């Protein structure tokens, strides 16, 4: 491992597409399984055990957090609060950057 990054912290974000082509992935719990893996990564990199999740759909990106103490099936619950649409990755990225800047985090996001 590179000595320059050992023991460094980084906030972890998860941006999920919420368009019609992803519906089967949500229903089969594949997205939930992926989010759990990202949360496990966060447990090793992040300092607070949370992962802000940004759902990209046709409307304003929806942001919610999953945590080590609430990770069981939250994606299945959260995505029902988001309209299906055609994902807007640019808006989701802007929402993510805004959230990071407002958080006051000093470590670079990943």
């Amino acid at each position: 491992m590179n000595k320059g990054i050992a023991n460094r912290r980084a906030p972890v974000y998860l941006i999920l597409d919420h368009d019609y082509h992803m519906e089967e992935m949500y229903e089969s719990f594949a997205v939930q399984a992926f989010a759990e893996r990202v949360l496990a990564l966060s447990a090793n990199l992040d300092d607070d055990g949370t992962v802000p999740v940004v759902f990209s759909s046709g409307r304003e990106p929806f942001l919610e957090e999953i945590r080590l103490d609430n990770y069981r099936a939250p994606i299945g619950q959260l995505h029902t609060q988001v309209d299906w649409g055609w994902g807007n990755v640019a808006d989701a990225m802007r929402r993510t950057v805004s959230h990071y800047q407002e958080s006051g985090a000093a470590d670079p996001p990943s």
Side-chain angles (χ1 to χ4, degrees), residues 1 3 7-8 14 16 21 26 30 34-36 41 43 49 53 56-57 66 72 82 84 86 95 109:
M1 179 172 244
K3 292 180 182 181
N7 299 319
R8 296 286 312 235
L14 176 58
L16 295 174
H21 293 101
Y26 282 93
F34 178 67
E36 289 174 10
L41 172 70
V53 179
S56 172
S57 69
I66 58 173
R72 296 216 185 264
V82 183
W84 290 106
W86 300 108
R95 180 68 177 106

Side-chain angles (χ1 to χ4, degrees), residues 18-56:
H18 200 260
D19 71 23
Y20 297 105
H21 293 101
M22 293 289 294
E23 187 172 12
E24 183 177 320
M25 300 296 284
Y26 282 93
E27 290 177 0
S28 71
F29 301 101
V31 177
Q32 174 66 35
F34 178 67
E36 289 174 10
R37 288 180 178 90
V38 171
L39 186 59
L41 172 70
S42 173
N44 289 296
L45 287 179
D46 208 335
D47 62 351
D48 64 0
T50 66
V51 174
V53 179
V54 179
F55 289 90
S56 172

Side-chain angles (χ1 to χ4, degrees), residues 58-69:
R59 299 186 188 268
E60 178 74 20
F62 177 79
L63 185 139
E64 189 60 58
E65 292 183 343
I66 58 173
R67 302 179 310 276
L68 291 173
D69 65 351

